Short mmCIF file of all heavy atoms in Angstrom, two decimals:
data_model
loop_
_atom_site.label_atom_id
_atom_site.label_comp_id
_atom_site.label_asym_id
_atom_site.label_seq_id
_atom_site.Cartn_x
_atom_site.Cartn_y
_atom_site.Cartn_z
N ASP R 140 4.33 2.67 28.49
CA ASP R 140 3.59 2.32 29.78
C ASP R 140 2.40 3.35 29.95
O ASP R 140 1.25 3.00 30.38
CB ASP R 140 4.42 2.26 31.00
CG ASP R 140 5.36 1.04 30.99
OD1 ASP R 140 5.09 0.24 30.11
OD2 ASP R 140 6.36 1.08 31.65
N ASP R 141 2.70 4.68 29.69
CA ASP R 141 1.69 5.65 29.84
C ASP R 141 0.50 5.55 28.81
O ASP R 141 -0.69 5.46 29.14
CB ASP R 141 2.25 7.16 29.66
CG ASP R 141 3.25 7.51 30.60
OD1 ASP R 141 3.23 6.77 31.79
OD2 ASP R 141 3.92 8.44 30.54
N LEU R 142 0.97 5.04 27.56
CA LEU R 142 -0.09 4.91 26.54
C LEU R 142 -0.99 3.83 26.87
O LEU R 142 -2.22 3.76 26.69
CB LEU R 142 0.73 4.64 25.29
CG LEU R 142 -0.35 4.59 23.96
CD1 LEU R 142 -0.91 6.06 23.74
CD2 LEU R 142 0.55 4.22 22.78
N ILE R 143 -0.36 2.61 27.28
CA ILE R 143 -1.20 1.50 27.68
C ILE R 143 -2.19 1.69 28.68
O ILE R 143 -3.40 1.41 28.55
CB ILE R 143 -0.14 0.43 28.15
CG1 ILE R 143 0.69 -0.17 27.11
CG2 ILE R 143 -0.80 -0.76 28.89
CD1 ILE R 143 0.07 -0.96 26.09
N LYS R 144 -1.74 2.63 29.68
CA LYS R 144 -2.67 2.83 30.76
C LYS R 144 -3.87 3.81 30.22
O LYS R 144 -5.02 3.52 30.50
CB LYS R 144 -1.92 3.72 31.84
CG LYS R 144 -2.25 3.41 33.20
CD LYS R 144 -1.24 4.05 34.15
CE LYS R 144 -1.91 4.69 35.34
NZ LYS R 144 -0.89 5.45 36.09
N GLU R 145 -3.43 4.79 29.30
CA GLU R 145 -4.43 5.62 28.94
C GLU R 145 -5.50 4.92 28.04
O GLU R 145 -6.72 5.18 27.96
CB GLU R 145 -3.80 6.79 28.02
CG GLU R 145 -4.66 7.83 27.45
CD GLU R 145 -3.91 8.54 26.21
OE1 GLU R 145 -2.80 8.94 26.39
OE2 GLU R 145 -4.56 8.76 25.14
N LEU R 146 -5.06 3.95 27.09
CA LEU R 146 -5.85 3.19 26.26
C LEU R 146 -6.70 2.05 26.85
O LEU R 146 -7.55 1.59 26.45
CB LEU R 146 -5.05 2.75 25.07
CG LEU R 146 -4.49 3.53 24.21
CD1 LEU R 146 -3.51 2.92 23.19
CD2 LEU R 146 -5.43 4.52 23.34
N GLY R 147 -6.09 1.65 28.05
CA GLY R 147 -6.65 0.59 28.69
C GLY R 147 -6.48 -0.82 27.97
O GLY R 147 -7.53 -1.61 27.94
N VAL R 148 -5.49 -1.03 27.22
CA VAL R 148 -5.29 -2.29 26.45
C VAL R 148 -4.23 -3.06 27.16
O VAL R 148 -3.34 -2.53 28.09
CB VAL R 148 -4.88 -2.10 25.05
CG1 VAL R 148 -6.10 -1.22 24.36
CG2 VAL R 148 -3.63 -1.21 24.89
N GLN R 149 -4.23 -4.30 26.86
CA GLN R 149 -3.22 -5.16 27.30
C GLN R 149 -1.78 -5.14 26.60
O GLN R 149 -1.77 -4.80 25.52
CB GLN R 149 -3.69 -6.71 27.13
CG GLN R 149 -2.92 -7.67 27.81
CD GLN R 149 -3.18 -9.20 27.22
OE1 GLN R 149 -4.15 -9.37 26.47
NE2 GLN R 149 -2.24 -10.01 27.51
N LEU R 150 -0.71 -5.26 27.33
CA LEU R 150 0.58 -5.34 26.77
C LEU R 150 1.30 -6.62 26.86
O LEU R 150 1.21 -7.28 27.91
CB LEU R 150 1.47 -4.19 27.56
CG LEU R 150 3.04 -4.19 27.13
CD1 LEU R 150 3.06 -3.51 25.79
CD2 LEU R 150 3.71 -3.46 28.13
N ILE R 151 1.75 -7.10 25.78
CA ILE R 151 2.46 -8.29 25.73
C ILE R 151 4.05 -7.94 25.45
O ILE R 151 4.21 -7.23 24.54
CB ILE R 151 2.07 -9.21 24.68
CG1 ILE R 151 0.60 -9.71 24.88
CG2 ILE R 151 3.04 -10.52 24.66
CD1 ILE R 151 -0.01 -10.48 23.78
N VAL R 152 4.91 -8.39 26.30
CA VAL R 152 6.41 -8.08 26.14
C VAL R 152 7.04 -9.33 25.86
O VAL R 152 6.94 -10.38 26.54
CB VAL R 152 6.94 -7.44 27.33
CG1 VAL R 152 8.45 -7.05 27.12
CG2 VAL R 152 6.15 -6.20 27.62
N GLY R 153 7.85 -9.33 24.65
CA GLY R 153 8.68 -10.42 24.42
C GLY R 153 10.15 -9.99 24.72
O GLY R 153 10.56 -8.88 24.12
#
Side-chain angles (χ1 to χ4, degrees):
Chain R
D140 294 344
D141 291 347
L142 186 67
I143 290 292
K144 217 164 136 192
E145 184 196 316
L146 296 172
V148 296
Q149 191 202 340
L150 174 71
I151 299 171
V152 179

